[in-house]
Amino acid sequence: MLASLVPILSLMLSTFLMMVAFGLQSYVVPVRAVAEGWSTQTISMIATGYTIGFTLSCIVTPKFVLLVGHVRVFVALITMLAIAILLCALVVDWPAWMLFRAISGFAISGSYLIIESWLNEKVTNDNRGSVFSIYLITTMVGTIGGQYLVPLGDPSNTTLFILCGIIFSVALLPTALTSSPLPAAPTQVRFNVPTLYRRSPVAVAGAFLAGALSGAWLNLGGVFTQRSGLTTAEGATLLASVLIGSSLSQIPIGRASDRMDRRLVMVACGAVGTVSCLVMALVAGGPPVLLYIVAACVGSVIFPIYALNVAHANDRAQPDEYVEVSSGMMIVYGIGTISGPIMVGPIMDRFGPGSLFAVLAVYFLLYGAYAAWRISRREENDGLVAKTDFQAMAAQPLGAEAAAAALQPDALSEERVEDTTTPEWRQP
């Protein structure tokens, strides 16, 4: 196991540092926006810039990698992340922040894509599960650690923004200076969402709703913590609770979906999410410990549901269509992340911070209800090609893991889809 980590050690170190800076950035930006007195609708517009940049990068970044290679693009993207957060410190104006956040979204999406495609190439069938579990832990620990840096400074001045830019800059050094062999050249990928919907309507609709859920939470969760009267330390703990709940539930949800109709698991996740969000809306402003517990319940389903939809779509795809399916799902998910902040921001302005969870409850209800309706319309095995393994994703999935397939050489992609070995960490 240790030998398998040596070729990717520098990449994992860069990932950890990048996620520390990302965790700090994702909390300090909304905290500063609230301190500036901007409305939730304004903050949601800034968040929309981020999600638009993120989705665009999933389409554009593979083309840049094709031209100049993984490392050069990765270094450029990390540099963009540092520049974007430093610009936020220099120019405190919400239209400018919308542009800066779009740059940040573009850069972080492309970075995820390169990291995950690089890992996919370097691992083998025997260690893929173990390596990716370490990757998931790295992203979670880095993100949580970054969020806990916020209480150490004052978001109303430039200190935390500069610190974030420094950490992003340091993150590029391990990979930029690595002597490990580089990934092979990528291949182009097609996007065919209409065909994907005809083949698996519940997967496409679910991916859109999963994107709306995560987009709303990731961009407005920090606003909720500030306007609910939590301190920065309490807010960081609440955000961490969501990530921990997500990380703990990935494997149980995956195992359940591999053993039964995935749509039944979608219905269950929709029910858990609906109830948890309604409870969260009711107890907003209550004791922090209670909020942490309920937030972990929300987190247990808010992020893993995207992987359910990807797995369901792949169940109905031919092996040579897996990359196309994953790419199409990524686009749908990205559109969902754009819609989330736009819909939720004005509602939070009018009805208060707790209304964030009321809207999330509606999204979860639609998610579960549509899956239940599709069960009544289609048999489980109708259109099934071969049931694929559920793939656990990072604690904050934004579609990049699906897009990572876009950077894989044809031969390697074929090798992966033909493998049916269940990784050790997902074996019963």
Side-chain angles (χ1 to χ4, degrees), residues 62-63 65-66 184-190 323 405-411 413:
K63 300 182 184 299
V65 177
L66 182 66
T187 183
Q188 298 286 15
V189 177
R190 298 167 297 170
V323 172
L407 297 184
Q408 299 306 313
D410 289 329
S413 296

Side-chain angles (χ1 to χ4, degrees), residues 158-171:
T158 61
T159 303
L160 290 174
F161 291 85
I162 294 173
L163 176 61
C164 189
I166 291 172
I167 299 173
F168 273 132
S169 299
V170 174

Side-chain angles (χ1 to χ4, degrees), residues 360-374:
L360 296 185
V362 173
Y363 284 149
F364 272 119
L365 180 62
L366 291 173
Y367 181 88
Y370 188 73
W373 182 71
R374 289 304 306 173

Side-chain angles (χ1 to χ4, degrees), residues 23-89:
L24 174 58
Q25 170 190 264
S26 63
Y27 193 17
V28 74
V29 167
V31 169
R32 177 61 180 272
V34 171
E36 291 294 323
W38 296 340
S39 68
T40 308
Q41 184 171 0
T42 298
I43 297 172
S44 68
M45 291 299 295
I46 297 171
T48 300
Y50 176 89
T51 54
I52 290 174
F54 187 99
T55 304
L56 180 63
S57 180
C58 293
I59 302 172
V60 174
T61 298
K63 300 182 184 299
F64 284 114
V65 177
L66 182 66
L67 292 174
V68 299
H70 288 73
V71 172
R72 289 176 179 171
V73 175
F74 184 70
V75 170
L77 292 172
I78 297 294
T79 303
M80 290 171 62
L81 283 167
I83 291 172
I85 193 65
L86 292 175
L87 285 173
C88 286

Side-chain angles (χ1 to χ4, degrees), residues 214-240:
S214 63
W217 170 250
L218 290 173
N219 290 288
L220 298 176
V223 177
F224 169 82
T225 64
Q226 290 296 293
R227 295 191 169 161
S228 296
L230 298 175
T231 65
T232 51
E234 291 170 342
T237 302
L238 188 141
L239 297 179

Side-chain angles (χ1 to χ4, degrees), residues 94-281:
W94 80 260
W97 273 32
M98 187 174 180
L99 173 61
F100 303 154
R101 292 296 286 156
I103 295 172
S104 181
F106 184 95
I108 197 70
S109 172
S111 298
Y112 285 152
L113 194 155
I114 290 173
I115 291 167
E116 291 167 12
S117 65
W118 196 329
L119 288 176
N120 264 317
E121 179 171 329
K122 295 304 177 183
V123 299
T124 65
N125 293 335
D126 294 331
N127 65 15
R128 180 174 289 112
S130 299
V131 170
F132 264 85
S133 66
I134 294 173
Y135 166 67
L136 298 181
I137 293 170
T138 300
T139 58
M140 183 191 73
V141 173
T143 303
I144 293 174
Q147 291 168 349
Y148 276 107
L149 291 178
V150 177
L152 302 180
D154 184 1
S156 64
N157 59 41
T158 61
T159 303
L160 290 174
F161 291 85
I162 294 173
L163 176 61
C164 189
I166 291 172
I167 299 173
F168 273 132
S169 299
V170 174
L172 65 83
L173 296 179
T175 300
L177 300 175
T178 184
S179 60
S180 300
L182 303 183
T187 183
Q188 298 286 15
V189 177
R190 298 167 297 170
F191 302 96
N192 195 337
V193 176
T195 299
L196 183 59
Y197 178 81
R198 287 192 295 270
R199 180 178 296 160
S200 182
V202 72
V204 174
F208 176 83
L209 290 169
L213 283 160
S214 63
W217 170 250
L218 290 173
N219 290 288
L220 298 176
V223 177
F224 169 82
T225 64
Q226 290 296 293
R227 295 191 169 161
S228 296
L230 298 175
T231 65
T232 51
E234 291 170 342
T237 302
L238 188 141
L239 297 179
S241 298
V242 173
L243 297 181
I244 292 171
S246 173
S247 300
L248 294 176
S249 67
Q250 294 256 14
I251 295 176
I253 288 176
R255 286 178 172 173
S257 73
D258 285 343
R259 288 162 172 75
M260 64 178 72
D261 189 339
R262 296 196 204 275
R263 296 171 299 176
L264 291 173
V265 183
M266 294 178 193
V267 173
C269 288
V272 171
T274 301
V275 173
S276 299
C277 287
L278 288 176
V279 172
M280 194 71 174

